[in-house]
Amino acid sequence: MTETAVLDWSALTQRSLDELAAADALYRPTSFWGPGLEALLADLRGRGLETFKSWPTASWWFYPRYGVGYTNAVMDKVVALTQPLLTEKTAPQWTRSALTATPEARRDFDALRLAWDQRSWPCDLEGLGESTVGKPWQYYRLTGAAHGWTRPYLNYALCMAALSRHVEAPPRRFLEIGGGFGSLGEFLLTRDPEAVYVNVDIPPLLTVASWYLRELFGDRVAVYDSSVASSGRLELAGSAVMPNYRLPDVTAEFDVFVNSYSFQEMEPDVVENYVDLVVARGIAWAVSLNSRLGKQLHSEEEPGVIDPVTSGRIIEMFQRRGFELVATYDSPLVHSAAQLAVLRRR
């Protein structure tokens, strides 16, 4: 980790919340994210940034897990109950591995290494994984090394594996909307000291990602502190985490735009606006990992969307703006209802 200046994270959160409330409706939380904002704020204020990967709200809103997320206490009881029924000495380890969904993590890790094109984009996929900063609930050490992997990290790595199969050289400048806690930034910046990663998001995940990437990379990542004016041009010299409503002010251009499970949580007019903004920033590539079916409809029982944004709709939005679909991926690279799409500017 890199030493950083002490920042007032509470002030950053409150400032961005106040500015978001006054921003254009296209940047404010839609029906799906309204409840999420309040739930995450409660965990931020009650539990602190140091344990954000283990917040009760994390697995639902921004930190997906493998399996069903059994607690250690539940797993201990299951192992104790099943051990007398099994004769192999290693049976407890097998049982615990199944309960922690280790085979699912290993499947994604293997798919990553098989899919990545090392000729066009050399990358030491086994050399470094996700940091334990933030206290992850699940952490899979799959190679015997001290570091390990998590589902968020492998999700993003698989997105980049798909992109590696189409680029001719490693891209350097990346833009993301709704980047969660900054996992893609961790992946990119640890592998290339020259890489630039800019994430724009709503609070409080704006605060979470800022804190996390600052913990890992120090002043290499700019954040929305008191030195940044509340209006005017945002001339970012390098990597940064900024509020989503300031994206129109960002003057930098990028090689790649990435969206992972974020556009599907918005309404169509919100996504159309964002696509306009990212295309105007010179991107050559767009990578989308979103649901084929879109999010569930809003109801009194659970949050949802009014008009689902599917993977197909996202692809069509980019095609109308001069991009061509070069590939889509599903199983075995990605699973469930997700579709991974790679688009290139014509």
Side-chain angles (χ1 to χ4, degrees):
M1 291 187 294
T2 304
E3 291 187 6
T4 61
V6 177
L7 295 175
D8 188 341
W9 298 110
S10 295
L12 187 155
T13 303
Q14 192 58 54
R15 174 194 179 186
S16 56
L17 285 169
D18 292 343
E19 293 180 359
L20 180 65
D24 189 289
L26 288 171
Y27 302 101
R28 296 199 296 269
T30 54
S31 63
F32 180 83
W33 261 98
L37 187 148
E38 295 303 323
L40 290 167
L41 280 172
D43 270 352
L44 172 62
R45 291 163 177 161
R47 298 173 183 272
L49 288 162
E50 292 78 8
T51 62
F52 77 86
K53 293 178 183 177
S54 297
W55 289 352
T57 53
S59 62
W60 174 264
W61 293 106
F62 68 91
Y63 202 91
R65 300 171 182 170
Y66 288 112
V68 297
Y70 291 120
T71 65
N72 289 330
V74 169
M75 289 189 287
D76 288 342
K77 289 181 180 180
V78 173
V79 170
L81 287 170
T82 57
Q83 188 169 358
L85 306 175
L86 304 170
T87 57
E88 294 84 354
K89 292 182 179 179
T90 54
Q93 291 92 318
W94 294 346
T95 304
R96 190 172 293 276
S97 175
L99 292 172
T100 58
T102 300
E104 294 181 34
R106 189 173 298 280
R107 173 203 65 203
D108 284 352
F109 187 56
D110 290 342
L112 168 66
R113 292 181 292 176
L114 286 168
W116 195 283
D117 189 336
Q118 295 286 352
R119 295 169 299 177
S120 62
W121 190 351
C123 190
D124 182 8
L125 298 170
E126 299 180 7
L128 191 62
E130 183 175 303
S131 165
T132 57
V133 170
K135 300 189 184 309
W137 183 270
Q138 294 178 332
Y139 197 72
Y140 300 91
R141 292 181 170 89
L142 302 173
T143 64
H147 60 269
W149 292 266
T150 67
R151 188 167 188 177
Y153 189 95
L154 288 171
N155 278 348
Y156 276 112
L158 289 166
C159 288
M160 295 300 96
L163 181 61
S164 77
R165 302 170 70 85
H166 303 283
V167 297
E168 296 180 355
R172 283 282 172 80
R173 300 182 61 84
F174 296 80
L175 172 64
E176 182 174 19
I177 292 173
F181 67 95
S183 186
L184 177 60
E186 178 179 10
F187 180 88
L188 296 168
L189 300 183
T190 52
R191 278 154 178 76
D192 184 357
E194 303 299 323
V196 169
Y197 168 77
V198 172
N199 172 38
V200 297
D201 209 340
I202 62 172
L205 286 179
L206 170 73
T207 303
V208 173
S210 299
W211 179 85
Y212 186 64
L213 294 178
R214 270 295 184 97
E215 286 289 304
L216 299 185
F217 303 107
D219 293 341
R220 182 179 173 189
V221 179
V223 299
Y224 199 57
D225 60 17
S226 58
S227 69
V228 182
S230 296
S231 61
R233 291 160 59 93
L234 273 179
E235 297 181 354
L236 304 175
S239 298
V241 182
M242 292 288 143
N244 64 318
Y245 53 85
R246 297 301 308 276
L247 180 56
D249 300 324
V250 172
T251 61
E253 293 195 341
F254 301 89
D255 304 320
V256 180
F257 169 69
V258 180
N259 186 267
S260 176
Y261 298 122
S262 171
F263 277 171
Q264 68 184 32
E265 299 169 345
M266 306 175 190
E267 298 302 321
D269 60 331
V270 174
V271 179
E272 292 273 10
N273 177 61
Y274 280 135
V275 173
D276 277 336
L277 290 170
V278 300
V279 168
R281 271 133 195 89
I283 61 167
W285 298 92
V287 180
S288 167
L289 177 61
N290 284 281
S291 171
R292 294 175 181 271
L293 305 176
K295 274 289 183 182
Q296 71 274 3
L297 294 176
H298 181 77
S299 69
E300 293 183 0
E301 288 73 31
E302 62 178 338
V305 298
I306 307 302
D307 185 2
V309 173
T310 63
S311 175
R313 291 182 78 169
I314 296 167
I315 291 168
E316 188 270 334
M317 289 179 191
F318 278 98
Q319 288 175 324
R320 282 193 279 108
R321 292 163 173 84
F323 282 70
E324 61 178 337
L325 179 65
V326 296
T328 57
Y329 297 89
D330 45 38
S331 180
L333 201 63
V334 294
H335 295 267
S336 69
Q339 182 179 60
L340 176 52
V342 179
L343 298 105
R344 174 176 55 204
R345 190 187 290 265
R346 292 193 186 94

